[in-house]
C-alpha cells in the first residue's frame, strides 16, 4: 500500500511540475517574451548538453548495477561444461556491451555535435558508400558466425550422448514435484508406461521389466558423485516442465510422451561449495531476511528447479541435489532400496490391506 502511495505522490509531483512550467511559459509570453513555439539557439545548445549528460548518466547507471548485482549472480559453475557456458556467456556479453557503448556514444555525441545552430557545423551528407556498407555487413557477419559456431558446438557437446562410462539418472516431472530414478547396477532404466500409473506406482514403472528391478527411486533429494559423467534422461507425466539446474548451467525441457537428455560432470561437492566466499555471503543475506520474517535459516544446496510455468504450485517444484565425493556417493547409494525391494514391500502391504478389507467384509 505504501509503495502504491509513494508512486502516486511521485506521479502527481511530475504532473504538478509540468503544469507549473506551462503557467510560467504562458506568463512569460504575456509579458512579451518569446512565443512558446520559437526555438532559440540557446534552447538547442541546452538540449545538446542534455544529450551528453543523459548518455553519461545512462552509462553510470548501467555500470553501477553491474557493480552491485554481479556478486549476487550464481556462484562459480559446478560442472565441467558450466565453465565453458560461462566463458561463452561472458564472451557474448563483452561483444554486446562493446557494441552498445560505441553505438550509443555515436548516437548521443553526434546529436550534441550537430545541434541546430547558425554557425556552420552541418554534418557531411553523402548518398551512398559501398565501402562503408561492406564493412558494416562483413564485420557483424564474421562476429555472428563465430558466436553461433561456438554456441552450437557447446550445445551439441552437452546434449549428445556422453562418451565412456556414465551414471544414468532419470528425472521425472509431474505437477508439482520431481522424482529421480537411478538406473541401478545394469545402468539401464526399466520401462515405464503411463497406463501403469497408480497411487503406489506414481511413475508408472513396468514391474515386469527385469531391467527395472535394480533401479533406485529418490524423492526430495538425490546424490551424484563429483568427477563422474551424469547422464540425465528427462520425462514428464502431465505437461511440459523444464529441468533447471542453475549451478551446473544445465536446463532441458521435460516433455510428456518423449525422452530428452543432457549430461554433465559435477566438479565441486556440496560441502566445498558451502565454503565458497560468494556462497557464504549470499546465504548470509538470505538468512538475514528470513530471520526478520521469523523463519528458520537455510543452508546452501544445489537445486533442481522447474523452469517452465506449469501450474499453480510451479514455484515450489524443486529438489535438492547433493554432490558427494565418489566414496560418499557409493555409501549413500548402498543404503537405498531398489525398486524390486520397495515395490515388493508395497505390494505386500497393499495385499495385506486388501486381505484385511476382505476379512472385515466377511
Ligand atoms: Cu513448473
Amino acid at each position: 500500500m505504501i509503495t502504491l502511495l509513494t508512486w502516486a505522490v511521485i506521479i502527481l509531483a511530475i504532473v504538478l511540475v509540468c503544469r507549473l512550467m506551462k503557467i510560467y511559459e504562458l506568463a512569460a509570453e504575456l509579458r512579451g517574451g518569446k512565443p512558446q513555439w520559437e526555438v532559440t539557439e540557446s534552447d538547442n545548445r541546452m538540449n545538446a548538453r542534455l544529450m551528453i549528460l543523459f548518455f553519461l548518466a545512462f552509462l553510470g547507471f548501467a555500470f553501477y548495477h553491474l557493480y552491485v548485482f554481479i556478486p549476487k549472480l550464481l556462484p562459480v559453475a559446478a560442472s565441467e561444461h558450466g565453465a565453458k557456458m560461462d566463458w561463452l556467456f561472458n564472451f557474448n556479453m563483452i561483444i554486446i556491451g562493446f557494441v552498445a557503448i560505441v553505438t550509443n556514444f555515436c548516437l548521443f555525441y553526434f546529436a550534441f555535435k550537430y545541434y541546430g545552430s547558425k554557425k556552420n557545423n552541418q554534418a557531411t551528407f553523402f548518398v551512398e558508400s559501398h565501402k562503408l556498407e561492406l564493412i558494416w555487413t562483413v564485420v557483424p557477419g564474421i562476429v555472428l558466425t563465430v558466436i553461433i559456431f561456438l554456441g552450437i558446438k557447446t550445445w551439441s557437446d552437452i546434449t549428445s550422448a556422453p562418451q565412456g562410462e556414465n551414471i544414468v539418472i532419470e528425472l521425472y516431472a509431474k505437477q508439482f514435484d520431481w522424482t529421480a530414478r537411478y538406473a541401478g547396477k545394469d545402468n539401464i532404466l526399466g520401462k515405464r508406461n503411463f497406463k501403469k500409473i497408480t497411487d503406489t506406482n506414481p511413475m508408472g514403472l513396468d514391474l515386469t521389466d527385469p531391467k527395472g528391478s535394480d533401479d533406485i527411486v529418490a524423492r526430495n533429494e538425490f546424490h551424484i558423485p563429483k568427477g563422474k559423467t551424469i547422464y540425465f534422461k528427462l520425462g514428464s507425466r502431465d505437461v511440459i516442465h523444464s529441468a533447471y539446474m542453475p549451478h551446473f548451467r544445465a536446463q532441458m525441457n521435460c516433455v510428456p510422451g518423449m525422452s530428452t537428455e543432457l549430461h554433465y560432470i559435477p566438479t565441486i561437492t556440496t560441502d566445498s561449495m558451502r565454503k565458497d566466499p560468494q556462497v557464504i555471503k549470499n546465504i548470509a543475506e538470505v538468512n538475514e531476511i528470513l530471520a526478520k520474517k521469523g523463519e528458520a535459516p537455510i543452508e546452501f544446496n544445489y537445486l533442481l528447479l522447474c523452469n517452465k510455468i506449469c501450474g499453480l504450485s510451479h514455484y515450489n517444484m524443486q529438489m535438492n541435489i547433493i554432490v558427494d565425493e565418489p566414496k560418499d556417493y557409493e555409501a549413500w547409494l548402498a543404503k537405498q532400496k531398489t525398486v524390486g525391494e520397495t515395490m515388493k514391500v508395497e505390494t505386500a502391504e497393499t495385499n495385506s490391506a486388501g486381505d484385511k478389507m476382505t476379512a472385515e467384509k466377511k
Side-chain angles (χ1 to χ4, degrees):
M1 190 65 194
I2 287 175
T3 325
L4 194 73
L5 281 174
T6 315
W7 277 109
V9 168
I10 291 172
I11 292 167
L12 284 174
I14 293 171
V15 172
L16 186 73
V17 169
C18 291
R19 298 321 292 168
L20 282 174
M21 276 170 66
K22 188 87 184 157
I23 293 167
Y24 172 77
E25 279 171 4
L26 285 171
E29 203 177 324
L30 282 175
R31 282 199 303 270
K34 72 171 177 69
Q36 272 182 63
W37 45 264
E38 197 184 292
V39 178
T40 63
E41 198 165 319
S42 88
D43 289 338
N44 283 343
R45 200 180 308 120
M46 180 64 166
N47 274 316
R49 283 172 186 165
L50 285 175
M51 283 286 177
I52 292 295
L53 192 69
F54 181 83
F55 173 69
L56 292 175
F58 172 73
L59 215 60
F61 187 73
F63 277 102
Y64 169 75
H65 280 88
L66 288 177
Y67 171 75
V68 172
F69 290 108
I70 280 183
K72 294 189 195 299
L73 293 180
L74 287 168
V76 59
S79 69
E80 235 168 55
H81 86 247
K84 285 186 210 164
M85 293 268 274
D86 282 357
W87 183 87
L88 205 60
F89 179 78
N90 291 335
F91 176 69
N92 276 266
M93 288 312 282
I94 287 168
I95 294 174
I96 294 167
F98 173 76
V99 174
I101 290 173
V102 169
T103 47
N104 277 287
F105 171 76
C106 292
L107 184 70
F108 289 103
Y109 176 72
F110 288 129
F112 163 76
K113 187 167 165 40
Y114 297 109
Y115 70 87
S117 159
K118 290 197 178 70
K119 278 180 267 159
N120 187 21
N121 64 350
Q122 272 191 355
T124 321
F125 177 79
F126 57 87
V127 181
E128 59 180 336
S129 161
H130 288 172
K131 198 172 148 195
L132 200 59
E133 283 170 24
L134 199 71
I135 292 171
W136 80 46
T137 310
V138 170
V139 172
I142 292 171
V143 174
L144 285 176
T145 310
V146 171
I147 289 177
I148 291 167
F149 173 77
L150 290 174
I152 289 178
K153 197 183 166 300
T154 312
W155 175 251
S156 65
D157 281 353
I158 298 164
T159 51
S160 58
Q163 306 290 321
E165 236 179 76
N166 58 66
I167 297 167
V168 173
I169 301 176
E170 178 181 43
L171 296 178
Y172 182 72
K174 71 170 172 61
Q175 287 170 323
F176 295 97
D177 57 39
W178 292 100
T179 307
R181 178 164 64 124
Y182 293 73
K185 288 208 170 69
D186 59 0
N187 211 27
I188 300 172
L189 289 162
K191 287 196 195 93
R192 71 183 156 71
N193 184 338
F194 72 93
K195 288 183 186 157
K196 295 191 188 292
I197 292 174
T198 60
D199 285 348
T200 50
N201 184 7
M203 286 178 88
L205 300 177
D206 183 349
L207 300 176
T208 59
D209 182 3
K211 291 196 178 77
S213 66
D214 67 341
D215 291 0
I216 289 166
V217 172
R219 310 263 302 159
N220 305 319
E221 66 172 39
F222 69 97
H223 290 236
I224 48 177
K226 176 186 155 183
K228 300 274 166 75
T229 305
I230 316 295
Y231 187 10
F232 289 104
K233 312 251 176 167
L234 311 159
S236 165
R237 166 160 141 183
D238 34 42
V239 298
I240 299 179
H241 300 271
S242 192
Y244 179 40
M245 296 172 263
H247 303 98
F248 306 95
R249 314 295 192 258
Q251 181 173 333
M252 181 60 73
N253 280 358
C254 305
V255 187
M258 69 182 276
S259 179
T260 48
E261 56 188 57
L262 68 89
H263 68 269
Y264 61 70
I265 303 173
T267 50
I268 304 173
T269 62
T270 300
D271 281 341
S272 321
M273 196 54 126
R274 282 181 182 158
K275 290 178 192 131
D276 181 273
Q278 191 188 339
V279 169
I280 293 174
K281 196 164 165 276
N282 288 352
I283 291 288
E285 277 176 24
V286 172
N287 282 336
E288 224 170 86
I289 297 168
L290 290 176
K292 274 184 200 152
K293 289 182 174 175
E295 286 174 30
I298 55 157
E299 227 179 352
F300 169 83
N301 262 316
Y302 292 122
L303 289 173
L304 162 65
L305 301 164
C306 176
N307 207 8
K308 197 71 68 186
I309 299 176
C310 57
L312 275 181
S313 292
H314 156 73
Y315 73 96
N316 202 23
M317 194 172 152
Q318 56 173 267
M319 192 178 190
N320 286 343
I321 308 172
I322 315 289
V323 179
D324 288 324
E325 290 293 347
K327 62 172 182 3
D328 297 334
Y329 166 74
E330 292 301 338
W332 174 84
L333 200 65
K335 275 190 259 160
Q336 307 306 308
K337 284 208 171 89
T338 62
V339 166
E341 288 162 357
T342 49
M343 283 300 181
K344 232 179 271 163
V345 173
E346 270 170 24
T347 325
E349 272 172 11
T350 336
N351 283 348
S352 72
D355 290 347
K356 225 171 152 191
M357 275 172 74
T358 356
E360 272 164 14
K361 265 185 195 166
K362 278 177 189 168

